[in-house]
């Protein structure tokens, strides 16, 4: 397992490359292997009350949310002229979320200082030391575990500089004032995936749940999906395959196809993160297979798969909502208010060919900016 390293929330294929780079640099080695297990007994069928409830929730998941998760107005004047350090990871996949943070901060009259933190623990530490020297009013960071930059974090804490974070397998505390999209959020995602799978298959699904070894958030999503699937479809079968993080962008599709060839009864692929799915439609086609693909997260390639009908769907990752919520947390901290209203779970939306918007990135809630402006009393 990858411990106390820069594990990222792999919301795109490129994020996995960040993870691998951090692991190699910090430890010099990594290990993970494919594994599988299967539960047996007959499917529950469509008559179960649990299946009926899953059908109802799956229909709701297909409807685009209309409200952001944060509902409580800040209620106090938000000071202008603040300078925020945005710790920008060195992978292109981090860029969209950083852009949304900068846009949201600009609405409040804040200046954002972008500090590139590279791909290695050494580069991350160097970036954080720059943040300490620059003495910003607040810091926004994503993807890296605080064990890598803890020394700088404690210096910022001593200077009473707030830090808000996203998408790592740990909670707030120890210098982090707000953590969103962490492991508890992964459990919610896994349950939503189970609702969709059981509901759309009316209790006849026999999925292959594909996990990514070494990514804690992916593990949580996978475990939550499998557990909830068994609750909703008692007696149903679910197979499990773990692919190592090192296989992403390489032979992950081959591993998945190889498993399916020996398990033709699996009628759906469920990816705890969509990263291993890049290249999978072509691999399935080459093998003469047509097993549907469903997962969590996305990137431009995955979105195009969905539009083409090569991927059935995915639970969207709300880049906009996360970026604005991080800024919302700082706004509350700057007014001396509780950050708890910003401690939310992002709304869930399953993207399919029928509902996916155009573009390489889009908000889950179409009026995200307008709703946050109202919460901030910004015209």
């Amino acid at each position: 397992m990858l411990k106390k390293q820069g594990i990222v929330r792999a919301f795109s294929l490129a994020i996995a490359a960040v993870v691998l780079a951090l692991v190699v640099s910090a430890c010099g080695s990594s290990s993970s292997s494919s594994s599988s297990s299967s539960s047996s007994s007959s499917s529950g069928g469509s008559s179960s009350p649990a299946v009926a409830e899953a059908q109802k929730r799956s229909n709701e998941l297909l409807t685009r949310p209309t409200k952001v998760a944060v509902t409580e107005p800040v209620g106090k004047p938000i000071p202008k002229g603040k300078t925020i350090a945005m710790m920008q990871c060195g992978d292109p996949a981090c860029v969209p979320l950083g852009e949304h943070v900068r846009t949201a901060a600009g609405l409040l009259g804040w200046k954002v200082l972008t500090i590139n933190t590279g791909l290695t623990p050494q580069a991350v530490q160097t970036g954080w030391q720059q943040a300490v020297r620059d003495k910003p009013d607040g810091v926004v960071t994503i993807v890296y575990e605080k064990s890598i930059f803890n020394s700088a974090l404690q210096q910022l804490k001593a200077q009473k500089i707030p830090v808000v974070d996203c998408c790592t397998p740990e909670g707030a505390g120890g210098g982090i004032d707000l953590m969103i999209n962490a492991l508890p959020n992964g459990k919610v995602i896994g349950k939503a995936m189970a609702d969709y799978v059981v509901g759309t298959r009316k209790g006849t699904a026999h999925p292959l749940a594909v996990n990514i070894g070494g990514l804690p958030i992916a593990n949580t999503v996978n475990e939550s999906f499998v557990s909830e699937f068994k609750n909703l479809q008692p007696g149903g079968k679910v197979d499990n395959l773990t692919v190592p993080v090192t296989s992403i962008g390489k032979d992950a599709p081959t591993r998945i196809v190889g498993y399916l060839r020996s398990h033709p009864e699996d009628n759906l692929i469920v990816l705890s993160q969509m990263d291993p799915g890049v290249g999978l439609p072509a691999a399935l086609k080459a093998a003469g297979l047509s097993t549907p693909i469903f997962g969590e997260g996305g990137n431009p390639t995955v979105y195009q798969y969905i539009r083409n009908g090569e991927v059935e769907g995915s639970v969207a990752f709300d880049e906009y909502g996360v970026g604005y919520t991080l800024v919302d947390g700082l706004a509350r901290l700057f007014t001396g208010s509780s950050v708890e209203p910003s401690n939310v779970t992002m709304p869930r939306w399953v993207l399919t060919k029928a509902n996916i918007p155009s573009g390489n990135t889009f908000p889950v809630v179409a009026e995200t900016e307008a709703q946050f402006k109202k919460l901030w009393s910004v015209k």
Side-chain angles (χ1 to χ4, degrees):
M1 297 294 291
L2 308 178
K3 298 180 180 178
K4 293 186 177 180
Q5 300 168 28
I7 302 302
V8 303
R9 186 188 190 287
F11 50 86
S12 75
L13 175 63
I15 283 292
V18 177
V19 177
L20 180 57
L22 290 173
V23 173
V24 171
S25 182
C27 297
S29 65
S30 65
S31 63
S32 183
S33 61
S34 297
S35 64
S36 65
S37 64
S38 175
S39 63
S40 62
S41 62
S42 60
S43 173
S46 61
S47 61
S48 165
V51 171
E53 284 298 313
Q55 287 182 266
K56 178 181 177 181
R57 289 192 293 269
S58 68
N59 288 332
E60 294 171 351
L61 288 166
L62 292 168
T63 301
R64 190 174 192 174
T66 58
K67 295 182 179 180
V68 298
V70 181
T71 59
E72 184 177 323
V74 173
K76 298 179 181 179
I78 301 172
K80 298 182 183 297
K82 296 292 186 180
T83 297
I84 308 303
M86 172 66 205
M87 311 307 291
Q88 184 75 61
C89 88
D91 193 282
C94 295
V95 172
L97 184 50
E99 289 177 348
H100 302 317
V101 168
R102 283 184 282 274
T103 299
L107 296 174
L108 296 175
W110 299 349
K111 176 183 177 181
V112 177
L113 174 65
T114 300
I115 300 177
N116 293 315
T117 53
L119 296 173
T120 66
Q122 292 76 18
V124 173
Q125 291 162 10
T126 298
W128 277 86
Q129 285 303 323
Q130 180 182 334
V132 172
R133 293 192 300 271
D134 290 341
K135 294 182 171 55
D137 297 298
V139 178
V140 175
T141 183
I142 57 174
V143 310
Y144 299 111
E145 290 187 10
K146 62 187 177 186
S147 59
I148 296 177
F149 54 88
N150 189 58
S151 176
L153 184 62
Q154 297 313 308
Q155 294 177 68
L156 292 168
K157 181 180 179 181
Q159 296 172 20
K160 300 187 184 306
I161 297 175
V163 178
V164 295
D165 200 352
C166 164
C167 313
T168 64
E170 52 193 353
I176 302 292
D177 295 277
L178 171 67
M179 175 67 74
I180 64 172
N181 233 45
L183 283 181
N185 196 59
K187 295 180 180 179
V188 175
I189 294 171
K191 290 182 178 181
M193 293 170 72
D195 281 333
Y196 175 85
V197 168
V198 175
T200 56
R201 268 67 185 176
K202 299 180 180 179
T204 64
H206 183 161
L208 169 61
V210 179
N211 188 25
I212 304 173
L215 290 182
I217 291 180
N219 296 343
T220 300
V221 171
N222 182 73
E223 291 172 0
S224 177
F225 166 73
V226 171
S227 175
E228 188 67 8
F229 174 83
K230 291 178 178 179
N231 287 336
L232 295 174
Q233 191 173 310
K237 297 179 180 179
V238 55
D239 288 359
N240 294 280
L241 173 68
T242 296
V243 298
V245 66
T246 50
S247 71
I248 295 176
K250 297 179 181 178
D251 67 341
T254 301
R255 291 170 181 260
I256 296 169
V257 168
Y259 188 93
L260 290 172
R261 278 176 166 163
S262 60
H263 295 79
E265 67 277 11
D266 292 342
N267 57 20
L268 176 66
I269 302 165
V270 178
L271 304 171
S272 60
Q273 303 235 333
M274 288 299 280
D275 299 356
V278 174
L280 183 55
L284 289 168
K285 184 177 180 180
L289 299 173
S290 58
T291 314
I293 304 167
F294 179 70
E296 188 276 332
N299 55 52
T301 299
V302 170
Y303 296 153
Q304 196 56 49
Y305 285 159
I306 294 174
R307 294 184 185 106
N308 294 342
E310 297 173 283
V311 165
E312 179 175 323
S314 176
V315 179
F317 174 67
D318 190 6
E319 298 167 343
Y320 282 76
V322 169
Y324 278 73
T325 301
L326 288 168
V327 171
D328 183 82
L330 283 178
R332 295 174 194 277
L333 290 166
F334 291 153
T335 62
S337 303
S338 169
V339 76
E340 192 57 30
S342 308
N343 186 21
V344 294
T345 298
M346 295 296 108
R348 297 286 158 237
W349 184 29
V350 172
L351 301 172
T352 66
K353 185 177 182 179
N355 67 11
I356 186 170
S358 60
N360 291 333
T361 180
F362 39 80
V364 167
V365 177
E367 296 184 350
T368 292
E369 181 172 304
Q371 291 184 26
F372 272 101
K373 288 173 69 174
K374 185 175 181 180
L375 293 171
W376 301 336
S377 299
V378 172
K379 296 182 179 180

